[in-house]
Amino acid sequence: MIFTVLIPLILACFIPLLSKIKEKIHTGVFVFFIPFIIFLYFIQFVGNDFSPVRQTFRWIPSLGINLDFYLDGLSLLFALLISGIGALVVLYSIYYLNKTERLGHFYVYLLMFMAAMLGVVLSDNVFVLYTFWELTSISSFLLIGYWHFNERSRYGALKSMLITIFGGLSMFGGFVLLTVVTDTTSIQAMIEQKDVILNSTYLPLILGFILLGAFTKSAQFPFHIWLPDAMEAPTPVSAYLHSATMVKAGLFLVARFSPVFSTYEWFFIIVSLVGIVTLCWGSYMAVRQTDLKAILAFSTISQLGMIMAMLGFGTEIAVFAAVFHILNHATFKGSLFMVAGIVDHETGTRDIRKLGGLITFLPITGTLALFGTFSMAGIPLPFLNGFYSKELFFESSLDLAGASTFADLLAQAIPYLAVFGSIFTFVYSLYFLFGTFAGKADLAKLPKKPHEAPFGMLVSPIILVLGVILIGLFPNVVNGTFLAHAAEAIKGVSIEKHITFWHGFNYTPLQMTLIVVGLGLVLVLTRKKWAGAYHILPGKLSLNRLYNAILDKLDDWTKDVTQSYMTGSLRLYVAIIIGATLVVTAIVMLVTGGFNIQFNDLADVTAIEVSVVVIMVIAALGTIVAKNNVSAILILGVVGYGVAILFVLYRAPDLALTQLVIETVTVVLFLLCFYHMPKLRKRNESAGTKTINLIISIGFGALLTLVGISAHSSKWFDSIADYFIETSKPLGGGHNIVNVILVDMRGFDTLFEITVLGLAALAIYSLIKLKKGAK
Amino acid sequence: MNNLLDITEKLVNISAIICTIGISISLLLLLIRVMVGPSNADRAVALDGIGINLMGIAALLSVIIVTTKLNDVVLLIGILLFIGTLAIAKYLEKGVIIDRDVD
């Protein structure tokens, strides 16, 4: 099973080589066999006596991250969709993409995506699942931006990337929490421990995070906005990723985890509510679109919402209907996208306002579209699979009950919302079909003269439409062999639902369907009259506008924040650094009781010390008020010499010597560069700034004084000075303890301080000598 | 005899302390000159004076704490003072300390 994931990845490495000969053979021909073989591999599992298969490959065992693959009914359904539709899409793309395109790039991305998607549906390990999940986001990003010279493509790619990666990251958070709670990384093991998860205090967080990931990936309200913009991708990509596979990854995730959460009240509320809202909003918005692919995008959103809602219901019939509709939607939506691609390819436009009457030019395509749209609309004809799943959807929406008041209210409202959404589904389906193929053709508006597509391009949609019809005619063939296993994986019990076309007139779902068809027809015929409703809702309220505003404002806000403190003023930075140090240190010292002031261990103060310190204090204050550079540095010299005298007083002749030399050199250096330095001037700062500076400086001085006193007052162990006094002569061979320490005991420090001086000298030399632009 | 040595030692100590106090007062007065000195030349001279006083203090301190280790300090202050005063004087006179080679 691992090979099905790895083969596309490995072969993706060879595609660039194969694409070199694309002038002779279209690269897609080589690629076609990969999904086809994978499809053949998976088809052998289909059957009544299927039982789950597990394979494990060690990857990072120490972290519990292994390539665990688990093939149950749900994974099998998705794997077959991915490989089957993948093969059809590759076949379609051979005729759709010209040889002048960068085919190598296209098929590398596509194979990468296929491998990632297979990885998502087959993984049993949450972290491996997350890895493949992000790989689908990245490859989808690359595919949407395939025509990267197109501004809209780049915008759409970035948008889908931001939204799906946002969701992916939150899903990762949920996975980490799950792993922490259950102490396992295997999804099946988590399902076995569902009591632990359901009793965990983190349950709302886990559910929220995982659902956020699923909703963003599956384009649920309000995260659906990336999907219409992803339509800038080449049509095979739209057909494959944005109708059949990737957008169903979120559904897969919800289905995969619903054995854990399905008994949790909020799972029902959130998933059903979001799904049903997405259904209504997507189908409502689809009617206003003018681009064929945009109609299909909103249609996908709404259909995904419908499946999501059914997963949220969680009853046996709803789960069965959900997996059934996953299959059905993939067939008819894939074919419709291909139809839209053919129309675009053969007429040069996808704008439904310019199209019309194409049935005479594109008879086969028109017929395919007819089946696809009628199936999508759920029109009660016995050879369309969309009708069965829609009827099952209505049926499942009827017998819902919630435990709490709110959930109960929701359960009551769902049938009405379902009918409402389905009416608009009906409207946009007919709008799509008749807007393109019926009416009078206006050839002057079309960039190209339309004619029927080449046969190769029609093969894939024909196969998909055959799927629509065959499932419609013999719904129970896929049922037991295939869908029952998928539903069993979600629900835990075997669901054997016999699908029949006719239940009699006293069957509520049929009445609901009739209402949908009746009201839908009325709305289709009067569409021009009520189109003004879109000015009221959404009107100016647009989630795209919100998204753009957030991005723009985020830029502005972060810029404002950065510019508010990154002013380029060193004075401000120093004030911030010292102020922050002051506040943090003071708080830490106060909270931990670090201030400790004792007077029992002090030496006597002599008159000489006092007089030296008084002189230094006066000089230090004098430096602050000095009027010009020279006087400031001369007064500062007094402080330096005072320090030297203090060293003398405290019997440190070496320090005193060094201090004197350094002080003198510093004074001379200052004098050297005064020639180039600006004159001291009065700063025109506001009183507030001055006060703050004063507070910071005094506070910092006081703080350091307190810290120094506290450090002196809290001596926890003896000094090691005695060791040096005793061993300076016998070990170091010198009487001067300071110098013995510097060159013998701690010689390393001295070495690197010499290095520092050397570097400083070199730096000064190069600063002076090497001028900008000089050779 | 012993008594006489004690008295001498005390006298030396007392005079050293008296001298230190005197020098401190002198330092304070010089400091005032450094701070208020109307011109920088005043300050330079005052700083020179401070340096000489510091030499004195260092010497007196070595008497008080009875050590010969500070003699270097005294000598060093003398040299540095000379160099420093020279540098300041040159700066005040010419504005630069090290002349560039003209040729």
Side-chain angles (χ1 to χ4, degrees), chain A residues 201-250:
Chain A
T201 45
Y202 297 115
L203 179 62
L205 269 183
I206 294 173
L207 183 69
F209 281 156
I210 289 183
L211 286 185
L212 211 54
F215 288 164
T216 49
K217 199 78 166 177
S218 275
Q220 299 294 299
F221 188 87
F223 305 110
H224 64 273
I225 50 172
W226 66 266
L227 190 59
D229 283 304
M231 290 303 129
E232 296 300 325
T235 303
V237 172
S238 309
Y240 188 39
L241 273 69
H242 305 128
S243 72
T245 53
M246 189 181 90
V247 286
K248 295 207 171 107

Side-chain angles (χ1 to χ4, degrees), chain A residues 607-608 611-612 614-616 618-619 621-623 628 630-631 634-635 637-638 641-642 645 648-649 651-653 656-658 660-661 664 667-669 671-672 674-675, chain B residues 17 20-21 24 27-28 31 34-35 40 43-44 47 50 54 57-58 61-62 64-65 69-70 72-73 76-77 80-81 83-84 87-88 91-92 95-98 100:
Chain A
I608 304 174
S611 49
V612 172
V614 166
I615 288 168
M616 282 172 66
I618 293 171
L621 290 174
T623 317
N628 68 51
V630 180
S631 57
L634 292 183
I635 302 171
V638 175
Y641 286 130
I645 290 304
V648 168
L649 270 175
R651 295 166 176 78
L657 288 174
T658 319
L660 282 167
V661 176
T664 313
V667 169
V668 173
L669 273 181
L671 291 176
L672 253 176
F674 273 161
Y675 179 74
Chain B
I17 287 168
T20 320
I21 293 166
S24 297
L27 270 175
L28 270 177
L31 189 64
V34 170
M35 309 250 279
N40 281 334
R43 295 197 176 92
L47 202 63
I50 287 178
L54 287 183
I57 278 199
L61 277 175
S62 69
I64 293 171
I65 62 181
K69 301 271 189 320
L70 293 177
D72 296 344
V73 178
L76 189 76
I77 296 176
L80 292 178
L81 206 57
I83 297 170
I88 296 168
Y91 176 76
L92 293 177
V96 290
I97 296 174
I98 301 168
R100 287 173 185 275

